[in-house]
Amino acid sequence: MRDDSFHVFDTTLRDGAQREGINLRVSDKLAIAKLLDDFGVAFIEGGWPGANPKDTEFFRRASQELDLEHALLTAFGATRRAGVRAADDPQVAALRDSGASVVTLVAKSDDRHVERALRTTLDENLAMIADTVSHLREHGQRVFVDCEHFFDGYRHHPEYALSVVRTAAEAGADVVVLCDTNGGMLPADITRVVTEVREATGVRLGIHAQDDTGCAVANTLAAVDAGATHVQCTANGYGERVGNADLFSVVGALALKRGREILPEGCLGEMTRVSTAIAEIVNLAPDTHRPYVGVSAFAHKAGLHASAIKVDPDLYQHTDPELVGNRMRMLVSDMAGRASVELKARELGLDLGDDRALSGRVVERIKGLELSGYSFEAADASLELLLREELGESVRYFETESWRGVATVKLRVKGERVIATAEGNGPVNALDRALRSSLEHAFTALGGLELTDYKVRILEGASGTDAVTRILVTFSDGGEEWTTVGVGPNVVDASWVALEQAITYGLLRQGYPRD
């Protein structure tokens, strides 16, 4: 039987789904729940059945389709309404009938919210908590109570905030969770308040921290140090506004820095895979610089670092990346030294031996290429070809004689049909030149506009199989810069949309009358 003395409680499917830009289907939620179970969390908060049709459907399907090995599914909801018995409240009934063995109830613990938001009395709020908790307990469900706005309420009216904690526990709540709902607390304040509440009540406490001050992870760890034994987190820190305490950073710190055995054996090594897989499901690019799980979390660029890592990786790494399913990477750039090149070559399966002249020659060549605009940090294939060339193993399957990009543009300008053809150093440059050529006779100010930046990103298509290209172009008129965006099925189509808008905006800035 799993140790119940410490809870890793995940709320990605409820609180994390409130992040701007995340819109989960029921199938998405089921897939994420399975990944979280692979990671070994103790509880997965699935959503609010009865208040949200999608969440009601999730719990129905979860009972049939999810076979969780480590986690218990948890339903989220509110205490009963004022003036209504818990047994008669349809929202409470939805929690009772959800099929979840655990229910997390949100309760007001700030007297101002009770009176202004709930519009009821302080005593009735306590009765709502006690009645709802005891009703669900009578029906065999385990109950956690989230004390919403607890830290703000404790600062304003500590006696009432403490009475909420005591009431929930006396009614049968297993854990009372102190919520920094507005995310405004700092670690020292969390330590003080959690300590005071634990000493005053003797109740088992949890922590739910939002990240509005950038301290959610630190606040969660501070609460644990002060005696909390239940942590609520979200995968990759997803959540309302700027997010919640990041599940992976909290677990990584507790497991690797505090030596806490809070996950089942073998689950910690799933961290990076689970983080990346969840990011893909919610359709957000994985944060490459996220602690523990980011692709850059154990990437080394500076030559000084590489020299030390060549002797002992622990000299510039706070933990072994393999423990969390990640890996060390060497980056080769104009900051690289011989040690960086030698380690990177080894990573790519090439042996430079002890030839210092060879590695020095590679370093100088890379620095020269990066000075002219190349970057090898994310281009391992190009770097490997360069290294093979320096090793005398040049790879040649064909020889390029020449290439060119040609574009033809057909426009109507002030009632006149204009056709222009131009060559460029690529299709986008050719499009830009042809567009300008077709307009210059009507808009002389075009000569002062300059394309200063161009960015490409390939996005997943709506069907999940087709590619969508997004282009950002930046233009300047010598004084100000502006950026436009184009999206299309390929680089050329997307670039045309962005270029057309950029030129149009530039002419608008020049004061030309609109049609």
Side-chain angles (χ1 to χ4, degrees):
M1 186 173 179
R2 183 163 181 172
D3 183 7
D4 191 55
S5 63
F6 193 94
H7 298 165
V8 177
F9 181 107
D10 181 89
T11 179
T12 303
L13 301 183
R14 199 271 305 174
D15 213 350
Q18 294 175 189
R19 170 176 165 148
E20 183 178 6
I22 290 182
N23 184 20
L24 298 177
R25 301 169 298 174
V26 174
S27 58
D28 295 330
K29 297 184 70 164
L30 291 167
I32 291 172
K34 184 62 178 71
L35 287 165
L36 292 168
D37 186 56
D38 290 346
F39 185 53
V41 302
F43 299 93
I44 298 172
E45 190 170 67
W48 192 330
N52 183 326
K54 188 186 298 183
D55 289 352
T56 302
E57 175 69 6
F58 167 77
F59 279 95
R60 185 190 69 78
R61 288 183 58 182
S63 65
Q64 302 169 0
E65 301 176 31
L66 279 183
D67 183 17
L68 300 178
E69 180 182 357
H70 302 117
L72 293 176
L73 200 58
T74 305
F76 176 87
T79 57
R80 68 160 173 83
R81 291 172 295 165
V84 178
R85 291 192 319 142
D88 299 328
D89 190 311
Q91 290 273 343
V92 177
L95 296 172
R96 187 183 64 230
D97 301 335
S98 66
S101 61
V102 184
V103 174
T104 302
L105 289 175
V106 62
K108 298 292 186 185
S109 57
D110 184 333
D111 61 303
R112 295 165 297 183
H113 280 263
V114 173
E115 295 174 336
R116 299 177 194 175
L118 283 182
R119 297 185 178 181
T120 191
T121 66
L122 300 184
D123 287 341
E124 174 63 5
N125 180 56
L126 295 177
M128 290 158 61
I129 295 168
D131 186 18
T132 310
V133 172
S134 59
H135 175 74
L136 294 173
R137 293 287 292 122
E138 287 168 4
H139 284 80
Q141 288 171 299
R142 190 175 186 182
V143 181
F144 303 148
V145 172
D146 283 0
C147 292
E148 188 181 36
H149 296 283
F150 180 84
F151 292 92
D152 296 325
Y154 186 82
R155 180 168 51 222
H156 181 257
H157 192 332
E159 294 82 4
Y160 186 74
L162 288 172
S163 70
V164 170
V165 173
R166 293 190 181 99
T167 297
E170 290 166 2
D174 280 9
V175 180
V176 179
V177 183
L178 310 184
C179 301
D180 184 19
T181 309
N182 289 344
M185 301 297 290
L186 297 177
D189 300 314
I190 294 286
T191 299
R192 175 181 57 79
V193 173
V194 172
T195 300
E196 291 175 359
V197 174
R198 179 175 54 78
E199 292 176 348
T201 66
V203 171
R204 181 175 185 180
L205 301 177
I207 181 68
H208 178 112
Q210 299 292 131
D211 201 32
D212 296 75
T213 60
C215 291
V217 170
N219 285 344
T220 301
L221 298 176
V224 172
D225 286 344
T229 58
H230 171 112
V231 292
Q232 295 193 355
C233 310
T234 62
N236 301 322
Y238 300 146
E240 187 86 15
R241 303 185 305 279
V242 299
N244 290 43
D246 178 11
L247 169 69
F248 306 116
S249 292
V250 169
V251 169
L254 291 174
L256 299 175
K257 308 301 178 181
R258 290 287 191 266
R260 304 287 293 264
E261 295 183 2
I262 57 175
L263 295 181
E265 186 176 354
C267 289
L268 187 64
E270 295 292 307
M271 183 186 291
T272 300
R273 179 185 70 85
V274 170
S275 169
T276 302
I278 291 175
E280 295 297 337
I281 291 172
V282 303
N283 201 27
L284 292 174
D287 185 348
T288 58
H289 291 78
R290 199 142 204 96
Y292 296 102
V293 297
V295 71
S296 297
F298 300 95
H300 304 277
K301 183 173 181 177
L304 182 63
H305 291 207
S307 297
I309 286 171
K310 190 176 177 182
V311 177
D312 181 355
D314 290 345
L315 292 175
Y316 271 100
Q317 291 185 161
H318 71 96
T319 192
D320 180 354
E322 292 186 3
L323 293 175
V324 294
N326 210 333
R327 67 184 183 93
M328 184 181 76
R329 295 169 53 241
M330 296 306 303
L331 305 178
V332 175
S333 71
D334 58 355
M335 294 184 179
R338 281 191 296 269
S340 298
V341 169
E342 291 167 6
L343 287 169
K344 186 64 181 181
R346 192 180 306 162
E347 183 183 313
L348 295 173
L350 301 174
D351 184 9
L352 300 186
D354 295 323
D355 192 337
R356 293 175 60 84
L358 172 61
S359 56
R361 190 166 66 246
V362 172
V363 169
E364 292 307 313
R365 185 174 174 188
I366 289 170
K367 289 182 177 180
L369 287 169
E370 294 222 340
L371 185 62
S372 66
Y374 280 81
S375 176
F376 293 95
E377 286 184 19
D380 281 1
S382 293
L383 180 62
E384 181 174 337
L385 291 175
L386 183 151
L387 289 169
R388 288 185 180 278
E389 186 177 321
E390 291 294 337
L391 284 165
E393 303 173 7
S394 294
V395 180
R396 290 284 186 273
Y397 297 106
F398 55 86
E399 191 169 321
T400 303
E401 289 189 2
S402 65
W403 62 273
R404 66 176 183 165
V406 180
T408 299
V409 172
K410 300 177 182 180
L411 303 174
R412 287 197 173 273
V413 185
K414 297 184 178 180
E416 177 185 352
R417 189 167 188 261
V418 179
I419 301 176
T421 300
E423 291 188 9
N425 58 11
V428 177
N429 182 244
L431 273 178
D432 183 31
R433 289 186 175 188
L435 178 57
R436 290 169 182 268
S437 176
S438 64
L439 295 174
E440 282 176 345
H441 73 286
F443 305 104
T444 57
L446 272 177
L449 303 186
E450 179 185 4
L451 192 156
T452 60
D453 197 16
Y454 177 88
K455 293 185 174 72
V456 183
R457 184 172 178 193
I458 306 299
L459 307 174
E460 181 182 351
S463 69
T465 57
D466 54 330
V468 175
T469 304
R470 183 172 67 205
I471 301 292
L472 294 174
V473 296
T474 302
F475 269 71
S476 170
D477 59 9
E480 299 291 334
E481 287 190 340
W482 60 94
T483 300
T484 55
V485 61
V487 175
N490 55 62
V491 171
V492 175
D493 284 3
S495 297
W496 173 256
V497 174
L499 287 169
E500 185 181 33
Q501 292 183 1
I503 294 295
T504 300
Y505 186 80
L507 294 175
L508 179 66
R509 282 182 51 82
Q510 295 293 335
Y512 283 100
R514 292 169 284 176
D515 291 338

